[in-house]
Amino acid sequence: MIEEFLAGDGLAKVGQAVRQASADEVMPRFRQLETHEIAEKRGPYDLVTVADREAERHLGRTLTALLPGLVLVGEEGVSEDPALLDEINGDAPVWIVDPVDGTWYFAHGEPGFAMMVALAHHGELLASWTYAPVRDVMAVAARGRGAWAEGVRLTGGTRTPGADITVATSSPRWTTDTEQRRLLELEVPGVARRDTGSAGLEYLRIASGELDAVAYTWENAWDHAAGLLLVAEAGGGNATVAGEPFRIGGGNELPFVAARDEETLRLLLGLLNGQS
Ligand code: IPD
Ligand code: CA
Ligand code: CA
């Protein structure tokens, strides 16, 4: 059923559902939020807004109508019911949804936020949608078929030999594990590091050849599922610090790295391991 859906017009239909959720629930609230429509979750950098909640509900309705029988694992749903996360390792296929990625930016009226949906079964990523609402750019990946943004094939390409490796990493603002922080804050010759923006947009930058890699210290499926497939289908790869492929169902050894090509991935893993 899923194969037929994706081989037919499923990719376009899900893209349309994401655009509609943006048009109905997200963009009308951009720079229009009232203070009472923004709340802190774990702290001042972990926010949720009425747009996050309503966009996830909206996607819940439209995605369920497109493919009945799937479970929706969304960031805000998991926040209310943490057991929902186990569904990623369950028998039913799942939609993995981050209704607004980069909520801090969205809530502060800055355009660097995204919306992400991934379709997965038994921990395998089958398709993904990464949408940048302000630019109105939709990037789509389908397992084994490639990645596109607005109909143009994406390829991460390769780094200029000898050039610094540009890496977006977990911001110390968001990272609570002191050992991982120490690792990511070390100065490493040949690596140009900066704090990550919206994770979804960073993955899109890698898949577009604008960024070499990301290194992250947290494994929430909704932050990474869509982007990891996008990067993989654009010719890149990912691995945990232990050298294993990242598992969206959790239990990864962290940090993990995603990069535009195998060579960059190998170099970064070596650096991470050499420092630890
Ligand atoms: C966050 C963003 C942010 C990253 C955080 C994520 P959210 O997602 O991707 O850039 O650094 O760690 O949690 O909470 O805005 O969906
Ligand atoms: Ca997110
Ligand atoms: Ca979010």
PDB file of all heavy atoms in Angstrom, residues 14 22 25 59 99 107 109 120 130 185 188 215 246:
ATOM      1  N   VAL A  14       1.441  14.519  -0.020  1.00  0.00           N
ATOM      2  CA  VAL A  14       1.933  14.845   1.326  1.00  0.00           C
ATOM      3  C   VAL A  14       2.549  16.251   1.311  1.00  0.00           C
ATOM      4  O   VAL A  14       2.333  17.049   2.222  1.00  0.00           O
ATOM      5  CB  VAL A  14       2.944  13.795   1.831  1.00  0.00           C
ATOM      6  CG1 VAL A  14       3.517  14.203   3.173  1.00  0.00           C
ATOM      7  CG2 VAL A  14       2.279  12.428   1.929  1.00  0.00           C
ATOM      8  N   SER A  22       0.903  24.738   6.689  1.00  0.00           N
ATOM      9  CA  SER A  22       1.630  26.005   6.837  1.00  0.00           C
ATOM     10  C   SER A  22       0.700  27.183   6.549  1.00  0.00           C
ATOM     11  O   SER A  22       0.646  28.150   7.316  1.00  0.00           O
ATOM     12  CB  SER A  22       2.822  26.025   5.875  1.00  0.00           C
ATOM     13  OG  SER A  22       3.365  27.320   5.806  1.00  0.00           O
ATOM     14  N   GLU A  25      -2.120  27.223   9.441  1.00  0.00           N
ATOM     15  CA  GLU A  25      -1.807  27.286  10.877  1.00  0.00           C
ATOM     16  C   GLU A  25      -0.501  28.005  11.227  1.00  0.00           C
ATOM     17  O   GLU A  25      -0.350  28.497  12.340  1.00  0.00           O
ATOM     18  CB  GLU A  25      -1.730  25.855  11.456  1.00  0.00           C
ATOM     19  CG  GLU A  25      -2.916  24.966  11.136  1.00  0.00           C
ATOM     20  CD  GLU A  25      -4.207  25.415  11.814  1.00  0.00           C
ATOM     21  OE1 GLU A  25      -4.181  26.382  12.596  1.00  0.00           O
ATOM     22  OE2 GLU A  25      -5.248  24.792  11.529  1.00  0.00           O
ATOM     23  N   LEU A  59      -1.922  18.329  10.476  1.00  0.00           N
ATOM     24  CA  LEU A  59      -1.231  17.250   9.749  1.00  0.00           C
ATOM     25  C   LEU A  59      -1.767  15.890  10.179  1.00  0.00           C
ATOM     26  O   LEU A  59      -1.868  14.972   9.363  1.00  0.00           O
ATOM     27  CB  LEU A  59       0.279  17.338   9.978  1.00  0.00           C
ATOM     28  CG  LEU A  59       0.964  18.463   9.183  1.00  0.00           C
ATOM     29  CD1 LEU A  59       2.363  18.737   9.710  1.00  0.00           C
ATOM     30  CD2 LEU A  59       1.018  18.101   7.689  1.00  0.00           C
ATOM     31  N   PRO A  99       6.139  19.742  13.611  1.00  0.00           N
ATOM     32  CA  PRO A  99       5.242  20.713  12.969  1.00  0.00           C
ATOM     33  C   PRO A  99       5.907  22.061  12.725  1.00  0.00           C
ATOM     34  O   PRO A  99       5.645  22.702  11.717  1.00  0.00           O
ATOM     35  CB  PRO A  99       4.081  20.839  13.959  1.00  0.00           C
ATOM     36  CG  PRO A  99       4.654  20.436  15.282  1.00  0.00           C
ATOM     37  CD  PRO A  99       5.693  19.390  14.974  1.00  0.00           C
ATOM     38  N   ALA A 107       9.050  31.938  16.957  1.00  0.00           N
ATOM     39  CA  ALA A 107       8.446  32.741  18.020  1.00  0.00           C
ATOM     40  C   ALA A 107       9.094  34.118  18.132  1.00  0.00           C
ATOM     41  O   ALA A 107       8.487  35.048  18.666  1.00  0.00           O
ATOM     42  CB  ALA A 107       8.552  31.995  19.356  1.00  0.00           C
ATOM     43  N   GLY A 109      10.045  35.800  15.480  1.00  0.00           N
ATOM     44  CA  GLY A 109       9.795  36.492  14.216  1.00  0.00           C
ATOM     45  C   GLY A 109      10.920  36.354  13.204  1.00  0.00           C
ATOM     46  O   GLY A 109      11.028  37.153  12.270  1.00  0.00           O
ATOM     47  N   ALA A 120       8.070   6.262   7.903  1.00  0.00           N
ATOM     48  CA  ALA A 120       9.023   5.200   8.245  1.00  0.00           C
ATOM     49  C   ALA A 120       8.277   3.921   8.628  1.00  0.00           C
ATOM     50  O   ALA A 120       7.118   3.959   9.063  1.00  0.00           O
ATOM     51  CB  ALA A 120       9.904   5.645   9.411  1.00  0.00           C
ATOM     52  N   THR A 130      10.661  18.218   3.768  1.00  0.00           N
ATOM     53  CA  THR A 130      11.218  19.305   4.569  1.00  0.00           C
ATOM     54  C   THR A 130      10.779  20.597   3.898  1.00  0.00           C
ATOM     55  O   THR A 130      11.099  20.827   2.724  1.00  0.00           O
ATOM     56  CB  THR A 130      12.764  19.237   4.580  1.00  0.00           C
ATOM     57  OG1 THR A 130      13.171  17.976   5.135  1.00  0.00           O
ATOM     58  CG2 THR A 130      13.362  20.370   5.407  1.00  0.00           C
ATOM     59  N   GLU A 185      32.745  21.564  21.884  1.00  0.00           N
ATOM     60  CA  GLU A 185      33.294  22.913  22.004  1.00  0.00           C
ATOM     61  C   GLU A 185      34.798  22.973  21.785  1.00  0.00           C
ATOM     62  O   GLU A 185      35.368  24.056  21.693  1.00  0.00           O
ATOM     63  CB  GLU A 185      32.950  23.503  23.380  1.00  0.00           C
ATOM     64  CG  GLU A 185      31.497  23.950  23.463  1.00  0.00           C
ATOM     65  CD  GLU A 185      31.117  24.452  24.841  1.00  0.00           C
ATOM     66  OE1 GLU A 185      31.876  24.225  25.795  1.00  0.00           O
ATOM     67  OE2 GLU A 185      30.055  25.066  24.944  1.00  0.00           O
ATOM     68  N   VAL A 188      39.117  22.470  16.910  1.00  0.00           N
ATOM     69  CA  VAL A 188      39.732  21.436  16.079  1.00  0.00           C
ATOM     70  C   VAL A 188      40.244  22.082  14.799  1.00  0.00           C
ATOM     71  O   VAL A 188      39.463  22.663  14.043  1.00  0.00           O
ATOM     72  CB  VAL A 188      38.703  20.342  15.714  1.00  0.00           C
ATOM     73  CG1 VAL A 188      39.363  19.257  14.884  1.00  0.00           C
ATOM     74  CG2 VAL A 188      38.070  19.769  16.965  1.00  0.00           C
ATOM     75  N   ALA A 215      26.753  17.887  13.435  1.00  0.00           N
ATOM     76  CA  ALA A 215      27.097  16.953  14.519  1.00  0.00           C
ATOM     77  C   ALA A 215      26.152  17.271  15.665  1.00  0.00           C
ATOM     78  O   ALA A 215      26.142  18.407  16.153  1.00  0.00           O
ATOM     79  CB  ALA A 215      28.547  17.149  14.944  1.00  0.00           C
ATOM     80  N   PHE A 246      22.814   5.893  12.216  1.00  0.00           N
ATOM     81  CA  PHE A 246      21.876   6.439  13.198  1.00  0.00           C
ATOM     82  C   PHE A 246      20.554   5.676  13.107  1.00  0.00           C
ATOM     83  O   PHE A 246      20.041   5.430  12.023  1.00  0.00           O
ATOM     84  CB  PHE A 246      21.638   7.924  12.878  1.00  0.00           C
ATOM     85  CG  PHE A 246      20.716   8.611  13.834  1.00  0.00           C
ATOM     86  CD1 PHE A 246      21.203   9.179  14.997  1.00  0.00           C
ATOM     87  CD2 PHE A 246      19.355   8.705  13.567  1.00  0.00           C
ATOM     88  CE1 PHE A 246      20.362   9.828  15.889  1.00  0.00           C
ATOM     89  CE2 PHE A 246      18.503   9.347  14.450  1.00  0.00           C
ATOM     90  CZ  PHE A 246      19.007   9.907  15.615  1.00  0.00           C
TER      91      PHE A 246
END
